[in-house]
Amino acid sequence: SKSYLELNRDVNELAIEIGLSTQEREMALELFHERGLIFHLTATEALRNIVVIKPQWLITALAKVIRDSSVHVDLREFREAGLGEDVTELFEEGIASRDILEYLWKHDQIDFFIDLMKRTMLMSEYGSSGNFFIPSLLHDKHESCDIFSCIFDFSETFLPHGLFQRLVCLCMEYVSRGKARNDSFIVYKNFARFERFRG
């Protein structure tokens, strides 16, 4: 049984079969998404074309990337697939190549998962190399603090889990667009520093 439907093929066929107009189809998808019966985002073409009918498919796919490598990763498997350096970079530095993402997601709906992770700020572009940055995979913690022009200090209050990683994704996206120096950032599990161009 399917985990998702393709809008341009499966959903259109169903809509035609029961006599829904395009507008009625869109309204039905929006309603079903709001009620939690399906998962359907429309921000990009890749997201728009996939209607998830089994959420476990999403969770399983994302968990192939965001996981504890000391428990859930067999390095031999990746080396045999020619991805030894890629898996090391992914789970030590949080940098994912498209090759390793395609391998982990078994070449199924890669653009959908990339767009999903980017839109939910679980991942961001990493420079112009075509790689991606996933801050939740970082392990090292920063121990000392320098002087900065902008500091977000959550030491006195509650910080929702995952918020820091999402802020880092936003900053990394800023760097990837050339609006900050891409040779001047430092990122740890609990600390990040980005420098803007002067002027």
Side-chain angles (χ1 to χ4, degrees), residues 5 90 96 111 134 157 165:
L5 302 173
L90 176 63
D111 292 331
I134 306 170
T157 185
Q165 290 81 3

Side-chain angles (χ1 to χ4, degrees), residues 4-8 11 25-55 58 112 116:
Y4 63 88
L5 302 173
E6 290 187 39
L7 182 72
N8 296 332
V11 176
R25 180 198 71 195
E26 293 302 314
M27 289 171 54
L29 288 171
E30 186 177 338
L31 176 68
F32 294 155
H33 175 78
E34 288 173 1
R35 298 287 185 253
L37 300 171
I38 63 170
F39 181 83
H40 184 235
L41 298 178
T42 58
T44 69
E45 191 59 35
L47 290 173
R48 180 174 166 62
N49 193 44
I50 299 296
V51 178
V52 179
I53 56 177
K54 291 188 178 176
L58 284 179
F112 169 78
L116 176 66

Side-chain angles (χ1 to χ4, degrees), residues 127 170-185 193-198:
L170 285 173
C171 292
M172 191 62 77
E173 196 70 32
Y174 196 71
V175 168
S176 294
R177 291 182 183 157
K179 296 185 179 182
R181 293 178 43 198
N182 62 3
D183 62 341
S184 65
F185 61 86
R193 181 182 75 192
F194 297 88
E195 291 181 22
R196 286 191 72 218
F197 287 120
R198 298 195 185 275

Side-chain angles (χ1 to χ4, degrees), residues 23 37 43 47 51 64 84 87 90 104 119 122 136-137 141 157 162:
Q23 183 180 8
L37 300 171
L47 290 173
V51 178
K64 288 177 188 267
V87 75
L90 176 63
L104 289 168
R119 296 298 295 182
L122 295 172
S136 59
L137 294 177
K141 291 188 175 184
T157 185

Side-chain angles (χ1 to χ4, degrees), residues 118-179:
K118 286 170 56 179
R119 296 298 295 182
T120 56
M121 290 184 279
L122 295 172
M123 174 170 75
S124 64
E125 299 280 339
Y126 183 74
S128 59
S129 62
N131 289 337
F132 304 94
F133 180 65
I134 306 170
S136 59
L137 294 177
L138 296 174
H139 300 286
D140 295 336
K141 291 188 175 184
H142 185 69
E143 301 300 331
S144 65
C145 189
D146 298 287
I147 298 172
F148 302 102
S149 58
C150 179
I151 298 174
F152 295 104
D153 182 2
F154 295 102
S155 61
E156 302 286 322
T157 185
F158 170 73
L159 177 66
H161 185 68
L163 181 61
F164 175 73
Q165 290 81 3
R166 285 175 169 84
L167 287 171
V168 170
C169 274
L170 285 173
C171 292
M172 191 62 77
E173 196 70 32
Y174 196 71
V175 168
S176 294
R177 291 182 183 157
K179 296 185 179 182

